[in-house]
Amino acid sequence: MHVFVTGASGYIGGSVAARLIQAGHTVTGLIRDQAKAEDLARLGCRPVVGTLDDPAVLTEQARRADGVVNAASSDHRGAVEALIAALAGSGKPLIHTSGSSIVGVGADGEASGKTFGEDILDADSAWEPDHPIRKARLAIDRLVLSAAEKDVRSAVLCNSLIYGPGRGLGRDSVLIAALVHQARSGGVVRHVGSGGNIWSNVHIDDMADLYLLALEKTPAGTFYFVENGEESFAAMTGAIARSLGLPGPRPWDPDSPDNVWDPQFARHALGSNSRVRGTRTRDLLGWRPRHRSITDWLTDL
Protein backbone atom coordinates (compact mmCIF):
# COMPACT_ATOMS: atom_id res chain seq x y z
CA MET A 1 0.00 0.00 0.00
CA HIS A 2 0.88 3.65 -0.35
CA VAL A 3 -0.07 5.26 2.98
CA PHE A 4 -0.33 8.96 3.80
CA VAL A 5 0.61 9.61 7.45
CA THR A 6 0.03 12.94 9.18
CA GLY A 7 2.30 13.74 12.11
CA ALA A 8 5.10 11.71 10.56
CA SER A 9 7.76 13.44 12.64
CA GLY A 10 5.93 12.81 15.91
CA TYR A 11 6.10 10.05 18.48
CA ILE A 12 3.04 8.13 17.27
CA GLY A 13 3.08 9.02 13.58
CA GLY A 14 6.80 8.48 13.24
CA SER A 15 6.62 5.05 14.84
CA VAL A 16 3.67 4.07 12.66
CA ALA A 17 5.48 5.27 9.53
CA ALA A 18 8.59 3.27 10.47
CA ARG A 19 6.51 0.12 11.02
CA LEU A 20 4.72 0.51 7.70
CA ILE A 21 8.03 0.96 5.86
CA GLN A 22 9.41 -2.10 7.65
CA ALA A 23 6.40 -4.07 6.40
CA GLY A 24 7.11 -3.06 2.80
CA HIS A 25 4.60 -0.24 2.35
CA THR A 26 5.33 3.15 0.80
CA VAL A 27 4.79 6.08 3.15
CA THR A 28 4.25 9.76 2.45
CA GLY A 29 4.51 11.78 5.65
CA LEU A 30 3.11 15.23 6.43
CA ILE A 31 5.65 17.35 8.30
CA ARG A 32 5.44 20.99 9.42
CA ASP A 33 9.15 21.75 9.60
CA GLN A 34 11.08 21.92 6.33
CA ALA A 35 14.31 21.50 8.33
CA LYS A 36 13.21 18.02 9.38
CA ALA A 37 12.16 16.89 5.92
CA GLU A 38 15.59 15.50 5.05
CA ASP A 39 15.73 13.62 8.36
CA LEU A 40 12.38 12.06 7.56
CA ALA A 41 13.51 11.13 4.06
CA ARG A 42 16.55 9.34 5.48
CA LEU A 43 14.16 7.06 7.38
CA GLY A 44 12.58 6.02 4.09
CA CYS A 45 9.51 8.25 4.30
CA ARG A 46 8.67 10.69 1.51
CA PRO A 47 8.15 14.08 3.21
CA VAL A 48 5.44 16.56 2.28
CA VAL A 49 5.73 19.91 4.04
CA GLY A 50 2.42 21.26 5.28
CA THR A 51 0.05 21.49 8.22
CA LEU A 52 -3.40 20.30 9.21
CA ASP A 53 -4.61 23.76 8.22
CA ASP A 54 -3.79 23.04 4.55
CA PRO A 55 -6.91 21.26 3.25
CA ALA A 56 -5.63 21.29 -0.33
CA VAL A 57 -2.48 19.41 0.71
CA LEU A 58 -4.46 16.92 2.80
CA THR A 59 -6.94 16.32 -0.03
CA GLU A 60 -4.29 15.80 -2.68
CA GLN A 61 -2.21 13.40 -0.59
CA ALA A 62 -5.21 11.42 0.67
CA ARG A 63 -6.52 10.90 -2.87
CA ARG A 64 -3.11 9.77 -4.09
CA ALA A 65 -2.72 7.22 -1.30
CA ASP A 66 -4.28 3.81 -0.75
CA GLY A 67 -4.95 4.66 2.88
CA VAL A 68 -4.52 7.41 5.47
CA VAL A 69 -3.31 7.47 9.07
CA ASN A 70 -4.12 10.68 10.95
CA ALA A 71 -1.62 10.85 13.81
CA ALA A 72 -0.86 14.57 13.94
CA SER A 73 -3.68 15.65 16.25
CA SER A 74 -6.73 14.09 17.88
CA ASP A 75 -8.43 17.48 18.12
CA HIS A 76 -8.22 19.11 14.68
CA ARG A 77 -11.74 18.78 13.29
CA GLY A 78 -11.02 20.66 10.07
CA ALA A 79 -8.31 18.20 9.07
CA VAL A 80 -10.59 15.23 9.73
CA GLU A 81 -13.36 16.80 7.66
CA ALA A 82 -10.93 17.38 4.78
CA LEU A 83 -9.63 13.79 4.89
CA ILE A 84 -13.14 12.30 5.00
CA ALA A 85 -14.24 14.45 2.05
CA ALA A 86 -11.16 13.39 0.07
CA LEU A 87 -11.74 9.69 0.71
CA ALA A 88 -15.53 9.63 0.37
CA GLY A 89 -16.73 6.91 -2.00
CA SER A 90 -13.30 5.30 -2.27
CA GLY A 91 -13.54 2.45 0.24
CA LYS A 92 -10.04 3.37 1.41
CA PRO A 93 -9.04 3.10 5.08
CA LEU A 94 -8.84 6.17 7.32
CA ILE A 95 -7.25 5.38 10.67
CA HIS A 96 -7.71 8.22 13.15
CA THR A 97 -5.73 8.59 16.36
CA SER A 98 -7.58 9.40 19.57
CA GLY A 99 -6.58 9.12 23.22
CA SER A 100 -8.08 7.43 26.24
CA SER A 101 -8.06 10.70 28.18
CA ILE A 102 -11.59 11.04 26.77
CA VAL A 103 -12.68 8.78 29.65
CA GLY A 104 -10.54 10.53 32.27
CA VAL A 105 -11.95 10.28 35.79
CA GLY A 106 -10.77 12.27 38.80
CA ALA A 107 -8.05 14.89 39.04
CA ASP A 108 -6.45 14.50 42.46
CA GLY A 109 -4.24 11.44 42.05
CA GLU A 110 -6.61 9.02 43.78
CA ALA A 111 -7.63 5.65 42.35
CA SER A 112 -10.97 5.08 40.66
CA GLY A 113 -12.58 1.70 40.05
CA LYS A 114 -14.40 2.96 36.95
CA THR A 115 -13.48 1.24 33.68
CA PHE A 116 -14.75 1.86 30.16
CA GLY A 117 -15.40 -0.51 27.26
CA GLU A 118 -15.52 0.09 23.53
CA ASP A 119 -19.31 0.17 23.56
CA ILE A 120 -19.24 3.78 24.78
CA LEU A 121 -19.09 4.83 21.12
CA ASP A 122 -21.70 2.40 19.82
CA ALA A 123 -24.50 4.04 17.85
CA ASP A 124 -26.99 3.53 20.66
CA SER A 125 -24.69 4.87 23.39
CA ALA A 126 -25.57 8.16 25.07
CA TRP A 127 -22.32 8.36 27.03
CA GLU A 128 -20.62 11.76 27.16
CA PRO A 129 -17.47 12.91 28.98
CA ASP A 130 -17.66 15.70 31.54
CA HIS A 131 -14.97 18.05 30.20
CA PRO A 132 -15.32 20.37 27.16
CA ILE A 133 -12.01 19.30 25.58
CA ARG A 134 -12.98 15.65 25.95
CA LYS A 135 -16.42 16.34 24.49
CA ALA A 136 -14.86 17.97 21.43
CA ARG A 137 -12.48 15.06 20.91
CA LEU A 138 -15.29 12.55 21.25
CA ALA A 139 -17.30 14.43 18.62
CA ILE A 140 -14.38 14.07 16.19
CA ASP A 141 -14.14 10.35 16.95
CA ARG A 142 -17.83 9.98 16.15
CA LEU A 143 -17.37 11.95 12.94
CA VAL A 144 -14.64 9.53 11.84
CA LEU A 145 -16.81 6.52 12.61
CA SER A 146 -19.74 8.01 10.67
CA ALA A 147 -17.50 8.26 7.58
CA ALA A 148 -18.32 4.57 7.07
CA GLU A 149 -21.65 5.80 5.69
CA LYS A 150 -19.68 7.60 2.96
CA ASP A 151 -17.82 4.45 1.91
CA VAL A 152 -14.69 5.22 3.90
CA ARG A 153 -13.22 2.27 5.81
CA SER A 154 -12.79 4.38 8.89
CA ALA A 155 -11.58 3.40 12.34
CA VAL A 156 -10.58 5.15 15.54
CA LEU A 157 -7.60 3.83 17.49
CA CYS A 158 -7.98 5.29 20.97
CA ASN A 159 -4.55 4.89 22.54
CA SER A 160 -3.99 4.55 26.25
CA LEU A 161 -0.72 5.74 27.87
CA ILE A 162 2.02 4.84 25.39
CA TYR A 163 5.53 3.96 26.53
CA GLY A 164 8.75 2.87 24.87
CA PRO A 165 11.20 4.64 22.55
CA GLY A 166 9.74 6.13 19.38
CA ARG A 167 10.94 4.51 16.17
CA GLY A 168 10.95 7.70 14.09
CA LEU A 169 12.06 11.27 14.72
CA GLY A 170 9.85 11.68 17.80
CA ARG A 171 11.28 9.64 20.67
CA ASP A 172 9.30 10.44 23.82
CA SER A 173 5.84 9.71 25.20
CA VAL A 174 4.08 12.86 26.45
CA LEU A 175 3.11 11.65 29.92
CA ILE A 176 6.29 9.70 30.64
CA ALA A 177 8.44 12.57 29.38
CA ALA A 178 6.62 14.98 31.72
CA LEU A 179 7.33 12.78 34.74
CA VAL A 180 10.99 12.26 33.83
CA HIS A 181 11.56 15.94 33.05
CA GLN A 182 10.17 16.96 36.43
CA ALA A 183 12.28 14.36 38.21
CA ARG A 184 15.52 15.39 36.53
CA SER A 185 14.92 19.12 36.92
CA GLY A 186 13.73 18.93 40.53
CA GLY A 187 15.95 16.15 41.81
CA VAL A 188 12.98 14.37 43.39
CA VAL A 189 10.45 12.13 41.64
CA ARG A 190 6.86 13.36 42.05
CA HIS A 191 3.31 12.28 41.33
CA VAL A 192 0.01 14.08 41.81
CA GLY A 193 -1.55 13.37 45.19
CA SER A 194 -1.06 9.81 46.39
CA GLY A 195 -0.29 8.56 42.88
CA GLY A 196 -2.97 5.92 43.28
CA ASN A 197 -4.61 6.93 40.01
CA ILE A 198 -4.39 4.30 37.26
CA TRP A 199 -3.94 4.44 33.50
CA SER A 200 -4.14 1.65 30.97
CA ASN A 201 -1.04 1.50 28.82
CA VAL A 202 0.53 0.05 25.67
CA HIS A 203 4.06 -0.24 24.27
CA ILE A 204 4.82 1.86 21.19
CA ASP A 205 5.90 -1.18 19.13
CA ASP A 206 2.68 -3.06 19.88
CA MET A 207 0.69 0.07 19.04
CA ALA A 208 2.48 0.42 15.68
CA ASP A 209 1.73 -3.22 14.88
CA LEU A 210 -1.93 -2.47 15.50
CA TYR A 211 -2.01 0.45 13.07
CA LEU A 212 -0.64 -1.87 10.40
CA LEU A 213 -3.35 -4.45 11.13
CA ALA A 214 -6.08 -1.80 11.14
CA LEU A 215 -5.01 -0.48 7.74
CA GLU A 216 -5.10 -3.97 6.32
CA LYS A 217 -8.37 -5.28 7.68
CA THR A 218 -10.43 -3.11 9.99
CA PRO A 219 -14.19 -3.20 9.36
CA ALA A 220 -15.57 0.24 8.55
CA GLY A 221 -16.79 2.41 11.41
CA THR A 222 -14.99 0.60 14.24
CA PHE A 223 -13.77 2.09 17.52
CA TYR A 224 -10.89 0.43 19.36
CA PHE A 225 -9.30 0.98 22.75
CA VAL A 226 -5.57 0.29 22.47
CA GLU A 227 -4.39 -1.18 25.77
CA ASN A 228 -2.43 -4.06 27.19
CA GLY A 229 -2.52 -3.74 30.96
CA GLU A 230 -2.65 -0.88 33.45
CA GLU A 231 -0.59 0.63 36.25
CA SER A 232 -0.78 3.32 38.93
CA PHE A 233 1.26 6.49 38.76
CA ALA A 234 2.77 5.60 42.14
CA ALA A 235 4.18 2.40 40.64
CA MET A 236 5.39 4.20 37.51
CA THR A 237 7.10 7.00 39.41
CA GLY A 238 8.60 4.45 41.78
CA ALA A 239 10.19 2.75 38.79
CA ILE A 240 11.45 6.12 37.52
CA ALA A 241 13.01 6.85 40.93
CA ARG A 242 14.84 3.52 40.89
CA SER A 243 16.01 4.03 37.33
CA LEU A 244 17.33 7.56 37.89
CA GLY A 245 18.63 6.94 41.40
CA LEU A 246 16.58 9.84 42.76
CA PRO A 247 14.54 10.25 45.96
CA GLY A 248 10.81 9.67 45.86
CA PRO A 249 8.27 9.30 44.66
CA ARG A 250 6.57 11.99 46.72
CA PRO A 251 3.14 13.60 46.44
CA TRP A 252 2.79 17.01 44.87
CA ASP A 253 -0.06 19.50 44.86
CA PRO A 254 -0.80 20.76 41.29
CA ASP A 255 -1.14 24.27 42.74
CA SER A 256 2.35 24.21 44.25
CA PRO A 257 4.24 27.41 43.34
CA ASP A 258 7.26 25.37 42.19
CA ASN A 259 5.18 23.11 39.97
CA VAL A 260 6.90 22.46 36.62
CA TRP A 261 3.62 21.07 35.26
CA ASP A 262 0.75 23.22 34.09
CA PRO A 263 -1.93 22.77 36.80
CA GLN A 264 -4.59 21.69 34.30
CA PHE A 265 -2.24 19.15 32.73
CA ALA A 266 -1.29 17.91 36.19
CA ARG A 267 -4.90 17.41 37.25
CA HIS A 268 -6.55 16.12 34.09
CA ALA A 269 -3.65 14.03 32.77
CA LEU A 270 -1.14 13.13 35.47
CA GLY A 271 -3.74 13.17 38.26
CA SER A 272 -6.60 11.38 36.50
CA ASN A 273 -7.59 7.77 35.95
CA SER A 274 -8.02 6.35 32.45
CA ARG A 275 -8.91 2.68 32.71
CA VAL A 276 -10.11 1.10 29.47
CA ARG A 277 -10.83 -2.39 28.22
CA GLY A 278 -10.31 -3.28 24.56
CA THR A 279 -11.33 -6.59 22.99
CA ARG A 280 -11.92 -5.67 19.35
CA THR A 281 -8.19 -5.27 18.62
CA ARG A 282 -7.74 -8.94 19.39
CA ASP A 283 -11.08 -10.31 18.21
CA LEU A 284 -11.37 -8.41 14.91
CA LEU A 285 -7.74 -7.73 13.99
CA GLY A 286 -5.86 -10.59 15.64
CA TRP A 287 -3.57 -8.22 17.54
CA ARG A 288 -1.13 -10.03 19.83
CA PRO A 289 0.89 -7.48 21.85
CA ARG A 290 4.28 -8.64 23.08
CA HIS A 291 5.08 -6.11 25.84
CA ARG A 292 3.30 -6.13 29.16
CA SER A 293 5.12 -4.28 31.96
CA ILE A 294 5.53 -0.52 31.85
CA THR A 295 7.34 -0.58 35.21
CA ASP A 296 9.99 -3.01 33.93
CA TRP A 297 10.62 -0.67 31.00
CA LEU A 298 10.77 2.42 33.23
CA THR A 299 13.25 0.76 35.54
CA ASP A 300 15.64 0.41 32.59
CA LEU A 301 15.40 4.04 31.41
Side-chain angles (χ1 to χ4, degrees):
M1 296 174 66
H2 171 206
V3 184
F4 175 48
V5 177
T6 70
S9 64
Y11 178 60
I12 294 175
S15 297
V16 170
R19 181 68 183 92
L20 295 176
I21 292 168
Q22 181 187 43
H25 299 297
T26 300
V27 178
T28 296
L30 185 72
I31 185 168
R32 290 178 296 179
D33 188 351
Q34 175 69 56
K36 293 182 179 179
E38 291 186 6
D39 295 332
L40 195 63
R42 279 193 288 270
L43 297 178
C45 179
R46 173 181 170 266
V48 171
V49 178
T51 73
L52 296 182
D53 294 315
D54 298 327
V57 173
L58 298 178
T59 299
E60 178 184 5
Q61 297 303 324
R63 287 178 175 168
R64 285 183 175 183
D66 300 311
V68 175
V69 171
N70 182 32
S73 171
S74 301
D75 304 309
H76 198 299
R77 187 180 182 97
V80 169
E81 290 173 342
L83 292 171
I84 290 173
L87 296 176
S90 69
K92 295 177 182 178
L94 168 61
I95 311 302
H96 175 70
T97 302
S98 185
S100 69
S101 61
I102 59 170
V103 300
V105 174
D108 56 3
E110 298 302 322
S112 169
K114 180 68 174 176
T115 63
F116 296 85
E118 292 157 324
D119 59 347
I120 62 169
L121 264 82
D122 285 354
D124 58 354
S125 172
W127 178 81
E128 290 287 341
D130 60 1
H131 190 281
I133 294 177
R134 292 170 180 150
K135 287 179 181 289
R137 178 173 292 186
L138 185 71
I140 293 173
D141 291 347
R142 287 180 169 144
L143 177 65
V144 172
L145 298 178
S146 70
E149 301 169 5
K150 299 181 178 181
D151 192 24
V152 178
R153 191 159 57 84
S154 60
V156 173
L157 294 186
C158 191
N159 295 314
S160 55
L161 191 161
I162 309 170
Y163 66 96
R167 303 306 180 184
L169 300 183
R171 300 291 294 174
D172 295 322
S173 162
V174 172
L175 294 186
I176 298 300
L179 294 171
V180 173
H181 171 68
Q182 178 280 314
R184 285 177 170 156
S185 63
V188 178
V189 181
R190 301 279 192 176
H191 48 60
V192 175
S194 72
N197 55 307
I198 300 168
W199 271 61
S200 299
N201 56 69
V202 64
H203 192 278
I204 188 74
D205 290 344
D206 291 328
M207 181 218 72
D209 287 344
L210 183 57
Y211 275 76
L212 176 61
L213 289 169
L215 276 166
E216 292 174 344
K217 57 184 181 180
T218 185
T222 309
F223 176 83
Y224 303 90
F225 275 130
V226 184
E227 58 84 17
N228 189 41
E230 61 180 17
E231 193 54 88
S232 72
F233 271 73
M236 288 188 278
T237 53
I240 291 172
R242 292 191 296 274
S243 176
L244 300 181
L246 292 174
R250 297 175 186 168
W252 205 358
D253 182 347
D255 293 322
S256 171
D258 60 346
N259 189 1
V260 299
W261 300 316
D262 175 83
Q264 291 300 308
F265 175 74
R267 288 191 180 91
H268 297 291
L270 301 178
S272 67
N273 295 265
S274 179
R275 306 180 67 184
V276 299
R277 301 293 183 265
T279 60
R280 294 172 183 168
T281 54
R282 296 157 175 87
D283 295 345
L284 297 181
L285 303 180
W287 184 53
R288 298 293 181 265
R290 295 162 288 155
H291 304 273
R292 185 77 188 184
S293 177
I294 187 172
T295 52
D296 284 353
W297 178 77
L298 287 169
T299 301
D300 294 330
L301 279 176

